[in-house]
Amino acid sequence: MSGDGSFEELIAEGAAAPVEGWAFDWLAGRAIEERPPWGYARLVAVRMAEADAALDVDTGGGEVLAEVPRPPRLLVATEAWPPNVPVARANLRPLGASVLAVAADAPLPFRDAAFDLVVSRHPVRTDWPEVARVLRPGGTFLSQQIGPGTVRELSEAILGPLPPPAHRHPAQAVAAARSAGLTVVHLREATLRTVFHDIGAVVWFLRKVVWTVPGFTVAAHRPALARLHERIQAEGPFVAHARRFLIEAER
């Protein structure tokens, strides 16, 4: 899709396109986000090649895990959003991985010290005591997380001015990891330019990345979407900034 069309056509496209899984291919040519400099997928592949038993928490559609060229002997993933589960199972079947549907915020359904590696990309919430519990002594947790106020410019374009972000600060993650008995061995942060070329891309993104505008619907937020569409038409692409951090901790 080029993103050409009227406001009504563009928001209809963004509202109709599927959002299952955690791939962003639909945005090709319509939006782009810079990648973090550390290369999370590459780091996961290296750790997986060295692991015996590994767990991917909040796997989404399994897109990152599916890139692993040398999976460990035991590979398990969890996912709490039901539409993602069949996508993840299809993507991870070639690796011999098991995908478990879990309830959000439920304890991890595994015995103590079951894994020497736990990974998680953009978890909804990290349950640090549970991560520590399922890690073997000497085991590693590697996670790329959403930082505070990510794409805040887009949130405020739809919702208006917001208070300073209170959650998802890297320092909070470090403190929680230490409180759970883990040792943080690596922490990196990045601010990434995110560009939306049309309002259809904005609608699709807000449907998929639900924490950007909680409770988002086209009907409820149509006036703000119309204003943002007019702004893009007059000024060019809308630019926001995503925030990410990489944290690695050992038990």
Side-chain angles (χ1 to χ4, degrees):
M1 291 290 183
S2 65
D4 296 330
S6 69
F7 173 69
E8 295 296 338
E9 290 169 339
L10 291 170
I11 63 172
E13 288 176 4
V19 293
E20 291 81 11
W22 202 242
F24 287 75
D25 298 348
W26 191 83
L27 291 179
R30 306 183 75 147
I32 188 169
E33 179 182 288
E34 289 181 311
R35 300 291 92 192
W38 46 76
Y40 177 76
R42 177 184 56 81
L43 293 175
V44 168
V46 170
R47 301 299 196 281
M48 287 285 172
E50 300 168 345
D52 173 65
L55 167 65
D56 184 19
V57 177
D58 288 351
T59 195
E63 292 85 359
V64 173
L65 199 58
E67 298 179 16
V68 169
R70 292 176 55 198
R73 174 189 61 82
L74 175 66
L75 182 57
V76 184
T78 64
E79 177 57 29
W81 195 46
N84 279 348
V85 173
V87 178
R89 285 175 175 160
N91 284 336
L92 298 177
R93 190 172 296 116
L95 295 184
S98 298
V99 178
L100 301 184
V102 298
D105 296 328
L108 292 172
F110 308 107
R111 60 178 174 79
D112 296 357
F115 303 100
D116 53 298
L117 175 66
V118 177
V119 300
S120 189
R121 179 177 179 265
H122 302 172
V124 175
R125 182 184 70 89
T126 300
D127 189 331
W128 290 98
E130 279 293 283
V131 168
R133 182 184 65 79
V134 302
L135 273 176
R136 297 170 181 169
T140 294
F141 176 63
L142 178 70
S143 181
Q144 179 175 295
Q145 307 226 351
I146 306 294
T150 192
V151 291
R152 181 184 181 87
E153 300 95 335
L154 180 56
S155 301
E156 292 191 329
I158 303 299
L159 297 173
L162 297 171
H167 305 291
R168 296 189 175 275
H169 291 276
Q172 293 171 330
V174 170
R178 290 173 175 166
S179 179
L182 301 176
T183 300
V184 176
V185 296
H186 198 67
L187 180 70
R188 293 183 66 181
E189 301 177 49
T191 298
L192 310 165
R193 194 169 183 265
T194 306
V195 182
F196 297 90
H197 291 276
D198 70 81
I199 200 65
V202 170
V203 167
W204 188 88
F205 181 88
L206 293 178
R207 290 174 56 227
K208 190 176 186 73
V209 188
V210 296
W211 54 79
T212 308
V213 176
F216 171 79
T217 66
V218 170
H221 298 93
R222 179 178 290 268
L225 292 170
R227 289 192 296 271
L228 184 53
H229 171 70
E230 292 171 0
R231 177 175 171 181
I232 292 171
Q233 294 292 100
E235 302 176 7
F238 180 80
V239 179
H241 295 85
R243 288 173 175 80
R244 303 284 184 266
F245 65 93
L246 182 77
I247 186 167
E248 185 172 2
E250 295 178 351
R251 182 179 174 197

